[in-house]
Amino acid sequence: MKIIIAVDGFASTGKSTLARQLAQKMGYTYIDTGAMYRAVTLYFLDNTISLKNKNQIEEALLQIELAFMQQKHTGKQITLLNGLNVEEPIRSFRVSNFVSEVSTLKQVRTFLVKQQQQMGAQKGIVMDGRDIGTVVFPQAELKLFITAQPKVRAERRFYEMKEMGIVTTLQEVEKNLQHRDTIDTTRTISPLKKAADAVVIDNSHLTIDEQLDRAMQLAKQVILSLTNKAHPPH
Ligand code: DC
């Protein structure tokens, strides 16, 4: 039996790491929806699309084709924008500073949510984002909501960016995270919020392995209880 696992939470809580590892362990497909919003943002920036011009946005979206390649050994997802690998530029500050504004747009959300729902139609998927358990798959069999203390989040992002060779300061990272938290939680359409039936995992003091174990246990429990429901033991 395959299920849909929705992983939501604030930026830099380690939810992508968890979702990716969980998918790999379960033999599921992993989808990072943040990368989709980032790729659209990159296209808008590169083509100087005005966020105030609805027609221009509509036309731009028609030109955007998104796809993912899965790296076999790491399970890492490579994002393709119109056939080009954009994994690096979509993580830049240029995109990070603009992506929340772009993701407030109704046209953009409708465009991406539709694609995300198609990707999960066959189940066997772990999808991470902000609105997966509330909007994209409100019927997901398992919903996780990942949190961590703000300081821990900023430090994680800072070291992640450093590793990628992006020059920045901890203060700049903290500022960007706060800015995104505010926009993500207060936007009118699909704001980030915990689904009523989501399980919260605060990973501030958990290792990557510990949080994976916890999530795996929850997934196994859900699958077992659904299997028992479908085929009650005699
Ligand atoms: O997960 P991330 O930090 O890469 O996401 C980038 C931005 O995309 C985030 O600030 C909000 C937006 N986003 C969203 O609105 N809905 C999603 N399902 C995923 C991301």
Side-chain angles (χ1 to χ4, degrees), residues 58-75:
E58 204 63 56
E59 274 166 32
L61 291 175
L62 288 174
Q63 304 302 318
I64 295 179
E65 209 180 289
L66 298 175
F68 296 114
M69 262 180 356
Q70 215 94 20
Q71 247 179 2
K72 270 238 164 69
H73 51 294
T74 58

Side-chain angles (χ1 to χ4, degrees), residues 13 22 29 37 49 82 94 121 150 156 160 163 173 182:
T13 46
L22 193 57
T29 304
Y37 287 91
I49 305 298
N82 295 334
R94 179 170 165 251
R156 283 182 189 155
E160 197 178 273
E163 241 170 56
V173 175
T182 309

Side-chain angles (χ1 to χ4, degrees), residues 8-12 15-16 32-35 37-38 91 96 99-100 103-104 109 116 128-132 136 157 180-181 184 187 190:
D8 288 303
F10 292 96
S12 294
K15 60 183 185 332
S16 301
D32 168 4
T33 61
Y37 287 91
R38 286 171 179 274
R91 309 289 165 193
S96 294
V99 63
S100 283
S103 32
T104 60
R109 303 205 72 85
Q116 291 154 7
D128 88 56
R130 304 291 190 287
D131 59 342
I132 312 305
V136 182
R157 188 64 141 210
R180 286 206 283 150
D181 282 0
D184 291 351
R187 68 177 174 229
S190 321

Side-chain angles (χ1 to χ4, degrees), residues 5-29:
I5 304 179
V7 183
D8 288 303
F10 292 96
S12 294
T13 46
K15 60 183 185 332
S16 301
T17 306
L18 172 67
R20 174 162 33 89
Q21 291 180 335
L22 193 57
Q24 213 182 6
K25 208 150 180 179
M26 297 184 68
Y28 280 18
T29 304

